[in-house]
């Protein structure tokens, strides 16, 4: 069943108590630049996205996802730290209530207003995302920081399409959201940053950010997770704010 039938406002992920894994590779992390080590064995990243695999955009109650058809090897990622070929299944953003924060990773403790995650799963070893998500080398996520600046034309097509639920969204090439130098990245072994927090992710964090204008960045009144006015707030938003707070509290109580 598609993700929006498994997750989303009607089945919020945070309600049941979580048995968060003990975890020695939990994400997100603060990237301490002076402690990062150059690895000459890292190869250039090979990103080959086919815009025709773009299927839909939907609001899952705490962010919005753009989902891709991952039934064949049409939109793939390989190279860099990766031994296998990975299939793009979705991308989504993390943002804050204001532009002072919002990203999940930080660079020398600096947070960005938002962070894009392009989620891929290992199609050489597994046949479904659900299988790969529980395996150590199952997922690869490219993270790109967003900074407020000039308007990002490619992003605008997405912002214009933002749904209150699920809308058909096609021919979007996510490569337009990547910075120009995709071979300048940090990589580390980590986890999903939201439940089920499984430690299955090879993170590839881009050093270069992309610029978006302030009216393009997330937050309750821009990225379509809340209606025209406050009292029409769909239930998902209330779950959204509580869940986010609860989840963050759980996570900080853990470590
Ligand atoms: N922020 S992130 O680390 O990039 C990230 C990416 C993907 C997911 C995700 O897909 N969560 C559902 C997992 C699941 C288990 N079984 C079926 N789906 C969560 C966080
Ligand atoms: Zn994410």
């Amino acid at each position: 069943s598609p993700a929006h039938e498994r997750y989303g406002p009607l089945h919020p992920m945070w309600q049941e108590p979580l048995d968060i894994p003990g975890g020695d590779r939990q994400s997100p992390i603060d990237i301490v630049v002076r402690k990062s080590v150059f690895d000459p064995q890292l190869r250039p990243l090979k990103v080959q996205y086919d815009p025709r695999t773009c299927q839909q955009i939907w609001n899952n109650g705490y962010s919005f996802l753009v989902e891709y058809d991952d039934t064949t090897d049409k939109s793939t990622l390989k190279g860099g730290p990766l031994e296998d070929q990975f299939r793009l299944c979705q991308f989504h953003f993390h943002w804050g209530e204001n532009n002072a924060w919002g990203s999940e990773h930080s660079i020398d403790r600096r947070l960005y207003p938002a962070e894009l995650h392009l989620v891929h799963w290992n199609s050489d070893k597994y046949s479904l995302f659900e299988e790969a998500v529980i395996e150590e080398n199952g997922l690869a996520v490219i993270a790109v920081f967003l900074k407020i600046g000039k308007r990002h034309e490619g992003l605008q097509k997405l912002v214009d399409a933002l749904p209150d639920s699920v809308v058909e969204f096609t021919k979007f090439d996510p490569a337009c959201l990547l910075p120009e130098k995709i071979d300048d990245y940090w990589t580390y072994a980590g986890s999903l940053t939201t439940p089920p927090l499984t430690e299955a992710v090879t993170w590839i964090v881009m050093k270069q950010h992309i610029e978006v204008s302030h009216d393009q960045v997330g937050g309750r009144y821009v990225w379509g997770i809340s209606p025209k006015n406050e009292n029409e707030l769909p239930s998902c938003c209330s779950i959204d704010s509580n869940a986010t707070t609860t989840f963050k509290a759980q996570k900080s109580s853990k470590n």
Side-chain angles (χ1 to χ4, degrees):
S1 65
H4 61 268
E5 283 169 10
R6 279 173 286 133
Y7 291 109
L10 305 179
H11 315 277
M13 286 187 259
W14 278 276
Q15 296 312 304
E16 64 282 355
L18 279 173
D19 54 341
I20 294 183
D24 47 18
R25 47 179 278 193
Q26 284 293 295
S27 296
I29 62 168
D30 173 51
I31 295 172
V32 185
V33 175
R34 69 183 180 289
K35 284 192 188 159
S36 63
V37 178
F38 175 73
D39 178 351
Q41 292 188 327
L42 287 172
R43 293 178 304 285
L45 271 183
K46 217 164 153 27
V47 177
Q48 286 172 310
Y49 293 150
D50 178 343
R52 289 169 303 176
T53 56
C54 184
Q55 282 180 325
Q56 61 193 9
I57 175 172
W58 63 285
N59 169 352
N60 65 358
Y62 65 101
S63 175
F64 68 90
L65 306 192
V66 179
E67 290 196 314
Y68 282 73
D69 167 20
D70 61 358
T71 53
T72 63
D73 270 339
K74 278 233 190 69
S75 288
T76 59
L77 166 67
K78 54 187 175 203
L82 307 172
E83 296 306 320
D84 298 319
Q85 174 165 277
F86 287 69
R87 257 183 222 168
L88 174 69
C89 58
Q90 54 107 327
F91 71 79
H92 61 273
F93 295 86
H94 299 267
W95 63 86
E97 289 297 299
N98 60 56
N99 292 336
W101 55 279
S103 64
E104 297 205 305
H105 289 91
S106 51
I107 309 295
D108 290 339
R109 296 274 168 219
R110 172 184 179 188
L111 287 167
Y112 286 83
E115 184 173 333
L116 158 68
H117 288 160
L118 293 143
V119 183
H120 313 73
W121 54 273
N122 187 330
S123 55
D124 281 348
K125 291 212 166 52
Y126 311 107
S127 48
L128 279 176
F129 170 83
E130 277 72 14
E131 284 171 31
V133 74
I134 53 177
E135 303 292 342
E136 239 180 44
N137 56 2
L139 303 181
V141 181
I142 295 178
V144 183
F145 293 110
L146 276 66
K147 204 175 155 207
I148 306 301
K150 62 184 186 310
R151 178 186 159 89
H152 192 290
E153 288 317 319
L155 184 68
Q156 196 51 41
K157 186 182 172 217
L158 200 51
V159 173
D160 292 342
L162 279 183
D164 289 327
S165 56
V166 188
V167 291
E168 203 212 75
F169 186 67
T170 54
K171 288 194 279 314
F172 184 80
D173 178 2
C176 80
L177 298 174
L178 294 173
E180 70 216 48
K181 290 191 206 144
I182 62 169
D183 284 327
D184 279 357
Y185 57 81
W186 295 286
T187 180
Y188 75 96
S191 72
L192 297 181
T193 64
T194 61
L197 294 168
T198 34
E199 299 183 335
V201 182
T202 300
W203 280 94
I204 298 170
V205 181
M206 290 294 151
K207 284 190 183 175
Q208 270 188 333
H209 59 264
I210 58 170
E211 274 193 32
V212 298
S213 61
H214 63 91
D215 58 356
Q216 288 182 310
V217 184
R220 302 159 58 79
Y221 298 99
V222 177
W223 278 358
I225 59 165
S226 53
K228 319 307 158 262
N229 61 54
E230 206 58 40
N231 56 32
E232 271 167 36
L233 212 57
S235 60
C236 74
C237 279
S238 52
I239 292 172
D240 162 38
S241 50
N242 300 337
T244 312
T245 319
T246 315
F247 168 63
K248 286 229 178 340
Q250 268 172 359
K251 211 168 166 188
S252 51
S253 62
K254 175 184 83 66
N255 48 27

